[in-house]
Amino acid sequence: MAVTIEELYRNYGILADAKPEDLGQHKYAYQVILDGVKGGPKEKRLAAQFIPKFFSSFPELADAAINAQLDLCEDEDVSIRRQAIKELPRFAAGENIVRVADILTQLLQTDDSAEFSQVNTALVSIFKMDAKATLRGLFSQILQGEDIVRERAIKFLSIKLKTLPEDTMTKEVEDYVFTETKKVLEDVTGEEFVLLMRILMALKGLQTVNGRQQLVELVVEQAFLEQALNPADPDTVDRLLQCTRQALPLFSKNVHSSRFVTYFCDHVLPNLSTLTSPVAELDIQQEVLKLLAEMSPFCGDMEKVEANLLMLFEKLLEFMPLPPEAEGENGENTMSEEPKLQFSYVECLLFSFHQLGKKLPDFLIDKINAERLKDFKIRLQYFARGLQVYIRQLRVALQGKTGDALKTDENKIKVVALKITNNINVLIKDLFHNPPSYKSTVTLSWRPVQKAEAVALKRPSGEEMGTGSTMKKLLSPPLPRRNARQIYNPPSGKYSAAIGNFTNEQRGGFRGGRGRGRGGRSRGRIY
């Protein structure tokens, strides 16, 4: 026979009126409250509140009480579920914290937004009771639970861990997060990898040089840098790009990018034209070259600097054409079509070459024979002439435009195009020094303008740049959104070229990494 509302209140009264030391004598009254989960909606709602209130007084009924509350957490009535979930942290004491955390983690799979928020709140509250025990419950589900639970548990940690106070996220807790995350990283999807790296990068203990180096080592393992690259496999290429993006923020003058740069020069650049991507809209060649350029300032000591410079040199020759022949053998005019100038690609390659050239400044003189060097300089000169024409066209197009006029998509792209061409111009001038110089500093066109550079731009020559205030406005507006596919076609005719599209962050995942659907929910692991 089902328990009634009256019986629930009566037995609650018995327990509420009993002295703390005498509560254990009223086991029957507590059992009646547990049986309330078999009643109707009103009885269940009362049971959800009464069960946790006296839970600690009946350790011999602990399993039965948790299971009864879990029944309510899985009830068809969402209001009952929310009430039961709200009370779950009251069961989190001693060894039960791990089990409660395990249960709450499983409940993250709910599709009800209010219920999902309640689960998040409950998890945060038990974190503050015992962070390490809560993490044990979370990681048990990440490592062994259903895919949807795993996915949401990882997202929970990526969002919530960084918001917890220092007295909760102690060194012991951070060490545990690091250890368990390394286990999870043994089998991850691309999205999971990004989130897990975000978790680790937020740990205070890994903000040191040694900590960042540990994180780079983790990324190196994921990137499979000891294996040759299969350019025809989009998932392999995507894995490398994902890993490189995660490693980029970690590099510095003390944490070096040498292994990634060397791998790009050994395996990626030789296959640049055959690379495939799972993201159809992504300009995979430009994406690769941009990543290489961003890594190149942080190379540190490099065993293969000469080989890497030679590969960059060969790629520059590929993208920096010779001037077209003007006359044929019999003197007739055979002006061939003007070659396309790939400004976006050349900016990245020149920047990378310039950065590595600092480590071997005599490379062009000692390692390249005179004929090839002459050929290279002809290409540089031709490219520089094209640059000057294009820079003038861009300045005319942007002249006098301020405020909202510079915020149109077309003008934003022209501003970036001007930055690209100015960068290339500076780098080419360095290489024309005798001997070549590697002293100039530029900021890559897609990176935020440095303050010092912005100040310097206030003083361009009037003949070349127009007024200082105008040029400051030209280069200071926000760059176009990197996830927007915006293409600018420069004027046709001599030296015209597609400046390239400025798309980025069209992210794919580590496909085929995981697929371990489990059965139904468990009742929480008992430790």
Side-chain angles (χ1 to χ4, degrees):
M1 185 175 175
V3 175
T4 64
I5 290 285
E6 291 74 18
E7 288 176 299
L8 284 172
Y9 274 118
R10 183 169 61 253
N11 284 281
Y12 173 83
I14 292 171
L15 296 175
D17 293 340
K19 294 178 180 179
E21 61 271 19
D22 297 333
L23 271 173
Q25 300 173 17
H26 301 287
K27 182 178 176 180
Y28 173 78
Y30 191 59
Q31 185 63 61
V32 171
I33 290 175
L34 294 183
D35 291 340
V37 302
K38 302 171 186 175
K42 292 181 180 179
E43 288 79 9
K44 289 178 179 178
R45 272 191 283 274
L46 279 178
Q49 299 173 60
F50 293 169
I51 292 172
K53 186 173 179 64
F54 301 104
F55 169 74
S56 60
S57 300
F58 299 95
E60 69 277 19
L61 293 175
D63 282 348
I66 291 175
N67 285 331
Q69 194 77 5
L70 186 54
D71 284 338
L72 298 174
C73 291
E74 297 174 330
D75 196 84
E76 293 181 358
D77 187 328
V78 67
S79 64
I80 294 172
R81 295 202 304 270
R82 291 176 190 168
Q83 181 64 48
I85 291 168
K86 180 182 177 181
E87 303 292 344
L88 266 180
R90 299 178 69 174
F91 294 86
E95 295 181 355
N96 288 322
I97 292 183
V98 179
R99 188 177 179 190
V100 172
D102 190 293
I103 292 168
L104 283 168
T105 305
Q106 294 178 64
L107 292 172
L108 285 170
Q109 65 187 289
T110 179
D111 292 324
D112 181 89
S113 58
E115 187 177 343
F116 183 78
S117 177
Q118 196 108 53
V119 174
N120 273 263
T121 301
L123 272 170
V124 170
S125 69
I126 65 171
F127 246 111
K128 294 173 182 177
M129 299 178 196
D130 189 331
K132 189 173 179 180
T134 304
L135 286 165
R136 284 176 62 193
L138 275 156
F139 275 108
S140 73
Q141 285 298 319
I142 290 172
L143 288 165
Q144 302 176 38
E146 297 180 45
D147 283 350
I148 187 171
V149 174
R150 172 187 171 102
E151 174 190 332
R152 293 187 179 181
I154 291 173
K155 285 183 179 177
F156 170 85
L157 288 174
S158 71
I159 294 168
K160 299 296 183 182
L161 274 190
K162 59 189 176 186
T163 67
L164 296 173
E166 288 186 25
D167 58 349
T168 299
M169 291 300 294
T170 62
K171 183 181 183 304
E172 181 185 4
V173 171
E174 287 199 348
D175 289 347
Y176 183 77
V177 171
F178 184 63
T179 300
E180 294 301 303
T181 300
K182 285 200 292 185
K183 295 177 186 176
V184 182
L185 282 169
E186 293 174 6
D187 181 16
V188 290
T189 65
E191 183 181 4
E192 289 172 348
F193 174 67
V194 171
L195 291 174
L196 290 165
M197 288 304 298
R198 189 179 299 167
I199 290 169
L200 294 178
M201 288 180 185
L203 299 179
K204 288 197 171 182
L206 295 177
Q207 302 301 313
T208 62
V209 169
N210 183 54
R212 291 199 306 275
Q213 188 62 56
Q214 289 183 69
L215 292 176
V216 168
E217 296 301 326
L218 281 180
V219 180
V220 167
E221 290 177 15
Q222 290 291 319
F224 297 157
L225 296 187
E226 74 285 354
Q227 299 180 11
L229 180 71
N230 179 3
D233 180 4
D235 297 330
T236 301
V237 174
D238 187 61
R239 173 184 284 269
L240 176 63
L241 298 189
Q242 289 271 29
C243 290
T244 307
R245 292 185 191 111
Q246 295 308 305
L248 262 177
L250 301 169
F251 296 139
S252 67
K253 64 179 182 180
N254 297 312
V255 180
H256 298 150
S257 60
S258 308
R259 279 178 290 180
F260 279 90
V261 170
T262 295
Y263 187 86
F264 271 55
C265 290
D266 282 350
H267 299 281
V268 183
L269 291 185
N271 298 298
L272 190 63
S273 62
T274 59
L275 292 175
T276 53
S277 168
V279 184
E281 305 81 27
L282 183 67
D283 183 342
I284 188 68
Q285 294 188 59
Q286 184 175 336
E287 179 73 356
V288 163
L289 294 176
K290 287 168 75 172
L291 289 172
L292 176 58
E294 290 199 63
M295 290 189 291
S296 60
F298 309 112
C299 283
D301 295 331
M302 181 180 283
E303 293 180 7
K304 300 180 66 175
V305 63
E306 182 180 333
N308 293 342
L309 276 167
L310 185 59
M311 175 50 64
L312 287 165
F313 178 81
E314 298 291 347
K315 279 296 159 186
L316 277 169
L317 294 180
E318 185 178 322
F319 288 107
M320 300 187 77
L322 285 167
E325 296 292 335
E327 292 184 345
E329 293 181 2
N330 300 319
E332 72 273 14
N333 189 332
T334 60
M335 176 67 79
S336 58
E337 182 182 348
E338 290 291 337
K340 297 276 187 176
L341 303 184
Q342 300 282 356
F343 295 113
S344 298
Y345 293 2
V346 170
E347 179 197 16
C348 298
L349 286 166
L350 264 181
F351 183 87
S352 301
F353 183 85
H354 193 267
Q355 292 297 318
L356 268 63
K358 295 175 183 179
K359 301 182 179 303
L360 194 61
D362 294 332
F363 172 78
L364 287 173
I365 297 173
D366 294 346
K367 307 300 180 181
I368 302 296
N369 66 45
E371 187 176 338
R372 292 197 79 195
L373 183 58
K374 180 181 177 181
D375 172 82
F376 182 54
K377 289 195 171 182
I378 290 172
R379 293 170 188 266
L380 286 176
Q381 190 173 42
Y382 176 66
F383 208 94
R385 284 165 51 204
L387 278 176
Q388 296 306 318
V389 172
Y390 191 31
I391 288 172
R392 284 196 296 271
Q393 291 172 340
L394 285 169
R395 287 178 184 153
V396 169
L398 293 170
Q399 185 70 36
K401 290 184 171 63
T402 59
D404 291 339
L406 285 175
K407 294 178 182 177
T408 65
D409 288 345
E410 183 176 348
N411 284 335
K412 283 181 180 179
I413 295 173
K414 287 178 181 177
V415 169
V416 179
L418 185 60
K419 183 66 184 296
I420 291 173
T421 48
N422 280 331
N423 282 348
I424 297 173
N425 201 34
V426 169
L427 297 174
I428 287 179
K429 284 180 179 178
D430 255 16
L431 296 182
F432 263 115
H433 280 91
N434 191 15
S437 169
Y438 300 93
K439 294 180 180 179
S440 294
T441 301
V442 299
T443 300
L444 291 164
S445 58
W446 61 92
R447 303 293 296 169
V449 177
Q450 300 295 320
K451 287 185 177 180
E453 184 178 347
V455 170
L457 290 172
K458 292 179 182 178
R459 301 185 184 87
S461 68
E463 177 185 351
E464 184 175 306
M465 305 286 277
T467 65
S469 60
T470 300
M471 204 53 214
K472 178 185 174 186
K473 289 174 181 175
L474 289 181
L475 294 184
S476 296
L479 299 182
R481 290 179 58 184
R482 293 172 69 187
N483 62 354
R485 184 172 173 79
Q486 305 178 54
I487 302 176
Y488 172 60
N489 295 316
S492 59
K494 193 172 184 180
Y495 304 121
S496 66
I499 196 67
N501 59 66
F502 302 93
T503 181
N504 193 12
E505 299 188 12
Q506 312 240 7
R507 311 308 194 201
F510 290 14
R511 296 171 134 65
R514 296 187 67 259
R516 350 177 133 99
R518 294 277 192 268
R521 274 181 212 167
S522 71
R523 289 283 173 162
R525 306 176 71 78
I526 301 175
Y527 295 85

